[in-house]
């Protein structure tokens, strides 16, 4: 699968338990945020767009404060199955370290261009994605704005789920899958 070529190239599936790439036609608009304790800790923000998880690594994790712009580096697409992955990537492998499912849920595309609704595929190409998340920790509007080749900004919309005082990555560190903290994996 062409969209997952980079993903496959970086991994040895005899060594890692991460899912193998597979073409899937699941249309369900899911998102996942995985906390990943690799060479440096970050949060992988992923959206199912056209059957693959389009992915960004967010070093500081998402913020609920609309005034906070979080750097989000676009990484290789991941297979849809990756949204269920929680575990340890072995030492010798790409991205070695622990992964938990920090948040997961569904999203609604609310992307617009010149006040007209556009498809999320188009929004991705144009570098301005807006979604409404329905997760356990993240809810309401978020935008991803492209500012460089791979550099994007993740910004919370100023809506009723915005919260300038809550540090959501600190106050809710546990996996929504296992209830474990990343150290306990
Ligand atoms: Mn990662």
């Amino acid at each position: 699968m062409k969209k997952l070529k980079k993903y496959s190239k970086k991994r040895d599936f005899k060594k890692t338990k991460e899912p193998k790439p597979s073409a899937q036609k699941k249309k369900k608009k899911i998102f996942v945020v995985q906390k990943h304790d690799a060479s440096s800790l970050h949060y992988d923000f992923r959206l199912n767009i056209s059957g693959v998880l389009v992915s960004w690594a967010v070093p500081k994790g998402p913020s609920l404060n609309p005034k906070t712009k979080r750097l989000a580096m676009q990484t290789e697409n991941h297979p849809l199955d990756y949204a269920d992955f929680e575990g340890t990537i072995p030492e010798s492998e790409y991205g070695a370290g622990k992964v938990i499912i920090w948040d997961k849920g569904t999203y609604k595309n609310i992307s617009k261009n010149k006040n007209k609704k556009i498809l999320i595929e188009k929004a991705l190409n144009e570098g301005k994605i807006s979604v409404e998340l329905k997760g356990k920790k993240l809810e309401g509007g978020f935008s991803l704005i492209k500012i460089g080749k791979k550099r994007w900004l993740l910004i919370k919309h100023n809506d009723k789920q915005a919260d300038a005082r809550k540090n959501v990555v600190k106050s809710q560190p546990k996996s929504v899958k296992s209830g474990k903290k990343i150290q306990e994996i």
Side-chain angles (χ1 to χ4, degrees), residues 24-42:
Q24 286 185 49
K25 277 188 190 135
K26 281 185 200 158
K27 283 240 173 85
K28 200 168 182 206
K29 292 198 176 340
I30 63 140
F31 84 93
V32 66
V33 181
Q34 280 152 319
K35 185 176 180 180
H36 184 187
D37 193 8
S39 48
S40 58
L41 183 78
H42 59 273

Side-chain angles (χ1 to χ4, degrees), residues 34-36 38 40 42-44 46 57 75 78 82 89 95 99:
Q34 280 152 319
K35 185 176 180 180
H36 184 187
S40 58
H42 59 273
Y43 293 76
D44 289 298
R46 313 187 199 277
T75 58
H78 280 50
Y82 210 93
I89 302 167
V99 176

